[in-house]
Amino acid sequence: MSWRVKLVVGLLIMLAVAIVLVSNRLLTERYTNDTRSRAEVRLALYTGNLMAELQRTSVVPLLLSRDPELVQALRDGNYSSTSAKLIALQSQIGVASIRLLDRDGRVVGATNRNILGTNNRNAPYFVDAQRTKDTIFSAVKREAGGFDFVYSRALLSDSKVIGVIVVSVDLMKFERAWAGLQDAVLVTDSEGIVILATETVWRGQPVAEALALRDPPSAISRALRATADWAQTPPDAYVRGEAVMKTEARIPFRGWKLQTFTAYGSVREQVNGILALQIMGFAILMAFTFYMLSRRAWSRSLTFQRESAELRALNARLQREIAEREKVQKDLEVAELTLAQSSKLAALGEMSAAVSHELNQPLAAMKTYLAGARLLLQRKRPDEALSSFQRIDDLIERMGAITRQLKSYARKGGEAFEEVDLRACVSSALAMMEPQLKARVVKITRGLPRQPVMVMADRIRLEQVIINLLRNALDATKDIRDPQIDILLSAGETATLTVRDNGHGISDLENLFEPFYTTKKPGEGVGLGLAISSGIVTDLGGRLTARNAEGGGAVFEMQLPILGNRQEAAE
């Protein structure tokens, strides 16, 4: 390529860059001015609507303060028809609410009958209205957030204040109307505090603090998405670091101001559309230029032949590398088979440990009942001994059921699911734990509802989880002076069983439900109880969680889908 050709190509590229830069600057300024003009028109419309609502409502207290029926009701103390009259006036005038207060600040008439009898003696609109004969405007901050805007005026009889009429202005409808727009809008009072805004978290905050809130509100996330424009004019303001266009107008009312924030997104989209056409034109021109230059490639055929030979050599080298990779892949497959076999052996060991762990509780109970039966037979009490043998027979049946349930390690099945009352499962688990509970002095408190708490579950596995939670609570309170275990069952959207102890708490919550994790001494446990319990609850469609209690001890919470919710959903 000659130096003349290189010069032409370089000049063409420089011309394209210069045209794109200048076009970007001019188009950005033009569309920014258009967007600002539209925002100012909207701002004037918002201000006019706001002032119209305030002025229209400001006349209402003056008219109501001269209403003879309201004045007569305050004189006589007869308010039987006052609320009905105010409700009728509200529908005609279109205000948010109307309240009539007697001279002591008690609500004696209101469009909202729920507030009748409440006392507003200390409210600023009541206190200020008694001090003057004019209509008073007040912005009262709510406890739940936001502001109530009210006009109040004293009602006079023989030049004495006999009551106060309070009319609320419905300015919240403007917030609802603004919330559906792309712009973010706010209104501040004379002190710069946000009193109306499209975002509820802005209310009651100074403007600077409201715009700097870290949580991105919905409207601001829609309206203030700044683009990385390398040639954009300096923005009017920054909201959480985002560049926005700000428009502001004064409201001729108590020093209020109305501000809107508009994103540069629409400006950027229009500018980028035109720039894309320009770049596309230059790209076509460059492609045509390179096409013309490529016609000279025939003179370089010898160079291409050498490159073809190099490519053939490279192809041969690649084939050798492919063969080596295939060999490595085969070796990897053999290693994966070996690893799979090792995993099977590990799973077999874990299952063996699980069998030993879950059968330990019934075996311990059987040992206790056998000792009791032997003692009863020695004391010539065979009937009571037969009861112990019956319990031993039940435990044997339970051990068989546990071994059958342990097949879930290899195959999941729901054939054993049935409708189960969680209260009965808790009682059965406590009966199973009776030998351990009698061996120690432990305070057990139970909070069970009177109504059945039905879930769809496997009764044996569910009792197995409750026994594991009780056994952990007993172990945790072993060294406590006054051990206590609280069992609470509640039924709401889900069935929730809570087991709380006053033991030493949980030191490692992250690994608590991992297999073979235990804080007990060697020989006292293998660390499978909670791991198995968590797996059972998960299979039943619930979850098992644990946390440390505030006053000490641990809290285990089991949540299961309640059967009533499923039936209602099916109906």
Side-chain angles (χ1 to χ4, degrees):
M1 183 181 297
S2 64
W3 66 271
R4 294 184 180 84
V5 175
K6 294 180 180 180
L7 180 60
V8 171
V9 173
L11 292 176
L12 186 60
I13 294 175
M14 293 176 61
L15 178 62
V17 172
I19 292 177
V20 170
L21 288 175
V22 174
S23 299
N24 180 76
R25 173 67 63 181
L26 297 176
L27 292 172
T28 300
E29 292 178 356
R30 174 185 174 183
Y31 289 120
T32 298
N33 292 332
D34 293 343
T35 303
R36 188 182 300 276
S37 299
R38 289 193 296 269
E40 290 174 352
V41 171
R42 290 194 299 269
L43 195 64
L45 179 62
Y46 299 161
T47 303
N49 292 338
L50 198 61
M51 278 302 303
E53 182 68 19
L54 290 170
Q55 293 173 354
R56 183 179 65 85
T57 310
S58 64
V59 184
V60 178
L62 176 61
L63 299 177
L64 295 181
S65 65
R66 300 176 180 177
D67 189 283
E69 295 184 16
L70 297 181
V71 174
Q72 188 64 34
L74 289 172
R75 289 176 179 174
D76 301 338
N78 182 10
Y79 310 107
S80 58
S81 61
T82 303
S83 295
K85 178 179 177 62
L86 295 180
I87 293 174
L89 290 173
Q90 180 194 18
S91 61
Q92 295 174 5
I93 300 173
V95 295
S97 65
I98 306 176
R99 286 170 285 172
L100 180 64
L101 282 63
D102 62 11
R103 69 183 62 185
D104 296 327
R106 185 170 58 91
V107 179
V108 295
T111 54
N112 182 7
R113 298 179 185 271
N114 295 326
I115 64 174
L116 290 175
T118 59
N119 198 300
N120 298 302
R121 179 183 303 172
N122 299 324
Y125 50 80
F126 177 77
V127 176
D128 295 339
Q130 290 181 315
R131 297 174 179 175
T132 179
K133 297 181 180 180
D134 297 327
T135 302
I136 301 299
F137 177 85
S138 302
V140 183
K141 190 172 183 180
R142 304 173 185 167
E143 294 180 359
F147 292 84
D148 283 329
F149 306 95
V150 297
Y151 283 101
S152 60
R153 189 181 181 93
L155 279 76
L156 304 178
S157 176
D158 298 331
S159 300
K160 294 183 180 180
V161 177
I162 60 174
V164 174
I165 190 72
V166 181
V167 180
S168 297
V169 189
D170 186 13
L171 298 185
M172 303 301 293
K173 62 184 180 182
F174 295 105
E175 283 190 344
R176 294 188 292 270
W178 297 337
L181 304 174
Q182 291 297 323
D183 295 349
V185 185
L186 59 87
V187 178
T188 60
D189 59 11
S190 59
E191 298 179 355
I193 304 300
V194 178
I195 56 177
L196 291 174
T198 53
E199 304 307 322
T200 57
V201 294
W202 288 357
R203 300 173 188 158
Q205 301 284 343
V207 176
E209 296 179 8
L211 299 182
L213 291 177
R214 298 187 63 182
D215 293 333
S218 58
I220 204 64
S221 63
R222 296 192 306 266
L224 308 182
R225 292 179 181 174
T227 57
D229 183 7
W230 38 266
Q232 181 174 290
T233 56
D236 297 333
Y238 288 90
V239 178
R240 293 182 288 102
E242 305 290 347
V244 295
M245 181 187 302
K246 174 183 175 182
T247 53
E248 180 178 305
R250 292 185 178 273
I251 302 174
F253 181 79
R254 301 174 65 89
W256 286 10
K257 294 182 181 179
L258 192 147
Q259 299 178 9
T260 63
F261 299 90
T262 307
Y264 285 99
S266 59
V267 175
R268 196 66 259 154
E269 290 175 359
Q270 298 177 41
V271 174
N272 288 343
I274 298 177
L275 293 181
L277 294 176
Q278 292 181 351
I279 294 174
M280 184 182 299
F282 283 111
I284 295 174
L285 180 60
M286 293 293 295
F288 179 77
T289 302
F290 283 110
Y291 170 74
M292 295 301 296
L293 294 175
S294 65
R295 297 182 61 183
R296 303 176 57 186
W298 63 270
S299 61
R300 305 173 61 185
S301 59
L302 294 177
T303 303
F304 291 156
Q305 291 178 2
R306 290 195 300 269
E307 291 178 354
S308 178
E310 292 175 357
L311 288 175
R312 286 195 296 271
L314 178 61
N315 186 29
R317 186 165 64 252
L318 289 175
Q319 289 179 354
R320 290 193 298 269
E321 291 180 1
I322 290 173
E324 293 176 359
R325 287 179 179 270
E326 291 177 351
K327 181 180 178 181
V328 172
Q329 185 68 25
K330 292 180 180 179
D331 295 339
L332 180 60
E333 292 177 356
V334 175
E336 288 177 349
L337 292 176
T338 305
L339 180 60
Q341 186 65 24
S342 300
S343 299
K344 292 179 181 179
L345 294 176
L348 182 60
E350 182 176 345
M351 181 179 291
S352 300
V355 172
S356 174
H357 179 274
E358 295 303 324
L359 294 183
N360 183 54
Q361 183 68 26
L363 287 174
M366 289 172 60
K367 183 177 180 180
T368 302
Y369 288 135
L370 283 174
R374 184 183 297 108
L375 183 61
L376 291 173
L377 290 175
Q378 291 175 358
R379 295 181 180 180
K380 308 300 183 180
R381 295 159 64 182
D383 294 338
E384 298 180 14
L386 287 175
S387 177
S388 297
F389 287 132
Q390 180 60 41
R391 292 187 177 183
I392 293 173
D393 184 65
D394 294 340
L395 289 173
I396 293 174
E397 178 63 26
R398 181 179 183 84
M399 292 169 64
I402 290 175
T403 57
R404 290 192 299 270
Q405 293 298 337
L406 287 173
K407 294 179 181 179
S408 62
Y409 278 97
R411 176 177 58 87
K412 302 292 183 182
E415 63 274 4
F417 281 20
E418 59 182 348
E419 297 183 5
V420 178
D421 188 356
L422 264 179
R423 302 181 305 168
C425 292
V426 173
S427 301
S428 178
L430 288 173
M432 183 69 65
M433 294 293 295
E434 182 179 355
Q436 286 84 347
L437 296 176
K438 287 184 176 180
R440 292 175 53 197
V441 179
V442 181
K443 182 180 179 182
I444 305 293
T445 61
R446 290 188 293 178
L448 304 180
R450 296 183 179 180
Q451 300 297 330
V453 182
M454 306 302 295
V455 297
M456 184 66 70
D458 187 333
R459 183 185 185 92
I460 298 298
R461 301 177 74 187
L462 193 55
E463 293 177 359
Q464 179 181 349
V465 173
I466 300 174
I467 290 174
N468 282 335
L469 297 180
L470 292 175
R471 185 164 52 199
N472 282 343
L474 284 174
D475 294 340
T477 58
K478 183 182 299 183
D479 300 328
I480 303 302
R481 182 176 181 180
D482 296 320
Q484 179 176 349
I485 300 175
D486 300 327
I487 304 173
L488 176 63
L489 178 60
S490 61
E493 295 183 358
T494 60
T496 304
L497 177 65
T498 304
V499 179
R500 174 175 178 173
D501 61 72
N502 61 344
H504 48 71
I506 304 171
S507 59
D508 189 359
L509 288 171
E510 294 183 358
N511 300 320
L512 184 63
F513 296 103
E514 294 295 330
F516 302 107
Y517 172 78
T518 179
T519 59
K520 300 177 182 178
K521 298 178 180 180
E524 296 183 359
V526 296
L528 282 173
L530 291 178
I532 294 175
S533 299
S534 179
I536 292 175
V537 174
T538 302
D539 292 342
L540 298 180
R543 64 172 184 171
L544 179 63
T545 59
R547 67 179 188 276
N548 287 316
E550 294 183 358
V555 179
F556 287 85
E557 189 173 85
M558 177 180 65
Q559 294 182 349
L560 292 174
I562 198 166
L563 187 59
N565 292 341
R566 291 185 176 179
Q567 291 178 346
E568 292 176 2
E571 293 174 357

